[in-house]
């Protein structure tokens, strides 16, 4: 299991991401801007499996997935298996803002990035020594690190965002739940917003974030809805997953059946970081 320094680094990263998002919300910014900013911070932090520090696929290459959704409008943007962008979540946002499509994958998504001024990066620059070493040593053991954020702003709007390098040693071209609206990411102001982590194949098959949002109906607390959603993944697929969830009142909940899932959230005006 990861060393203590690794935990500390993750905690620092979570705090930085939370503070960036919280500053936006305090200044009347949108939930969408807040989740994007939190995700950018986490993508830029090599300790997480997203952006720089993404895990490597079977060919030893990085292919990243990301998506986001705005609960007021149901606008969404998603990218799968992108290889040359610094921040996949900014590319997902550009896809959403451009408005014609929701989901772009592979070379076409990278092309879209270059056309729309989303910063490019050399593929090698996304590979950290740590991830290279895991790949060389053929570590089969999973390791957490997908990033996600949900937010509720002063205007009562919700948003969700998710970004990942996917799962270690995945087949080239494999796209996971983090790029799939309704699976890894979902937001609807009338229900709630959610971001998921865990085995992408199981999360897609259970349309986990959309299902969790449905579980909020009738004013069910997000903690309970999150637990129900994870129980469903467990019972129907036997796989590990985790979810963060926020409802239309701004109440938060989370649940996971994996060994760990780091979270940061505000409770009674106090920042809580669990790692
Ligand atoms: N859900 C991600 C995927 O399957 C991986 C993870 O969350 O660890 O791509």
């Amino acid at each position: 299991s990861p060393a203590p320094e690794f935990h500390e680094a993750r905690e620092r990263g979570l705090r930085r991401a939370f503070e960036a998002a919280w500053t936006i919300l305090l200044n009347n910014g949108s939930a969408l801007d807040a989740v994007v900013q939190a995700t950018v911070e986490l993508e830029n932090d090599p300790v997480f499996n997203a952006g720089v520090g993404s895990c490597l696929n079977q060919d030893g290459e990085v292919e990243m997935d990301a998506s986001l959704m705005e609960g007021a409008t149901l606008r969404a943007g998603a990218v799968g298996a992108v290889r040359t962008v610094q921040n996949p979540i900014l590319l997902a946002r550009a896809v959403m803002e451009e408005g014609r499509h929701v989901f772009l994958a592979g070379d076409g998504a990278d092309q879209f990035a270059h056309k729309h001024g989303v910063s490019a990066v050399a593929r090698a620059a996304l590979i950290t020594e740590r991830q290279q070493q895991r790949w060389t040593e053929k570590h089969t053991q999973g390791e957490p690190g997908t990033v996600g954020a949900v937010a509720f702003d002063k205007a009562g709007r919700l948003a969700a965002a998710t970004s990942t390098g996917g799962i270690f040693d995945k087949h080239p071209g494999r796209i996971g739940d983090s790029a799939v609206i309704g699976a890894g990411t979902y937001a609807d102001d009338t229900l709630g917003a959610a971001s998921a982590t865990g085995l992408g194949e199981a999360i897609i098959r259970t349309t986990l974030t959309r299902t969790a949002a449905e579980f909020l109906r009738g004013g069910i607390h997000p903690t309970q809805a999150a637990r129900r959603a994870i129980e469903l993944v467990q019972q129907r697929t036997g796989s590990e997953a985790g979810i963060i969830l926020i409802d239309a009142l701004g109440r938060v909940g989370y649940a996971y059946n994996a060994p760990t899932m780091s979270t940061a959230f505000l409770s009674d005006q106090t920042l809580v970081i669990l790692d």
Side-chain angles (χ1 to χ4, degrees):
S1 66
E5 308 85 72
F6 190 67
H7 280 287
E8 283 157 29
R10 285 158 54 104
E11 223 178 280
R12 273 198 303 278
L14 282 172
R15 184 179 299 274
R16 197 179 315 116
F18 179 88
E19 280 165 3
W22 191 240
T23 302
I24 290 172
L25 295 170
L26 281 180
N27 290 307
N28 296 312
S30 69
L32 187 72
D33 283 340
V35 296
V36 167
Q37 197 51 47
T39 305
V40 164
E41 298 285 341
L42 296 166
E43 284 178 340
N44 290 344
D45 189 332
V47 87
F48 297 97
N49 172 21
V52 61
S54 284
C55 67
L56 307 187
N57 69 11
Q58 263 176 17
D59 290 348
E61 287 177 354
V62 165
E63 289 189 334
M64 302 167 291
D65 300 336
S67 63
L68 81 180
M69 189 162 182
E70 182 177 65
T73 57
L74 300 186
R75 289 196 306 162
V79 294
V82 296
R83 306 199 287 193
T84 60
V85 294
Q86 176 96 37
N87 293 108
I89 200 65
L90 295 181
L91 179 53
R93 182 169 191 162
V95 171
M96 184 187 88
E97 302 285 0
E98 199 258 353
R100 184 167 169 227
H101 302 302
V102 166
F103 192 174
L104 294 180
D107 290 344
D110 283 296
Q111 255 172 47
F112 186 96
H114 304 144
K115 253 193 284 180
H116 289 82
V118 177
S119 298
V121 71
R123 283 155 66 172
L126 294 166
I127 302 179
T128 58
E129 211 173 293
R130 223 180 87 73
Q131 293 290 3
Q132 184 64 56
Q133 191 185 347
R134 285 182 77 209
W135 189 80
T136 308
E137 292 170 6
K138 282 282 168 234
H139 275 282
T140 48
Q141 222 182 349
E143 189 184 274
T146 288
V147 307
V150 294
F152 174 75
D153 64 29
K154 286 187 178 175
R157 294 168 302 191
L158 294 168
T162 313
S163 183
T164 189
I167 54 173
F168 178 70
D169 204 33
K170 64 187 179 180
H171 195 284
R174 179 267 191 188
I175 296 175
D177 63 297
S178 307
V180 179
I181 297 300
T185 305
Y186 195 71
D188 177 347
D189 278 8
T190 71
L191 290 172
S195 172
T197 181
L199 184 63
E201 284 70 12
I203 297 168
I204 292 172
R205 288 161 56 213
T206 53
T207 55
L208 189 64
T209 52
R210 167 72 195 198
T211 298
E214 290 293 339
F215 287 165
L216 292 168
R217 274 190 203 284
I220 302 300
H221 194 279
T223 298
Q224 205 183 326
R227 285 187 186 151
R228 244 186 104 190
I230 297 303
E231 262 166 42
L232 181 118
V233 180
Q234 173 72 48
Q235 282 167 4
R236 298 302 302 275
T237 72
S239 297
E240 287 180 348
I243 190 166
I244 55 173
L245 184 61
I246 191 164
D247 73 3
L249 302 172
R251 300 182 300 179
V252 299
Y254 65 90
Y256 57 94
N257 65 348
T260 78
M261 182 179 81
S262 310
T263 52
F265 56 90
L266 208 65
S267 172
D268 293 330
Q269 313 302 318
T270 310
L271 173 60
V272 178
I273 299 181
L274 302 173
D275 187 54

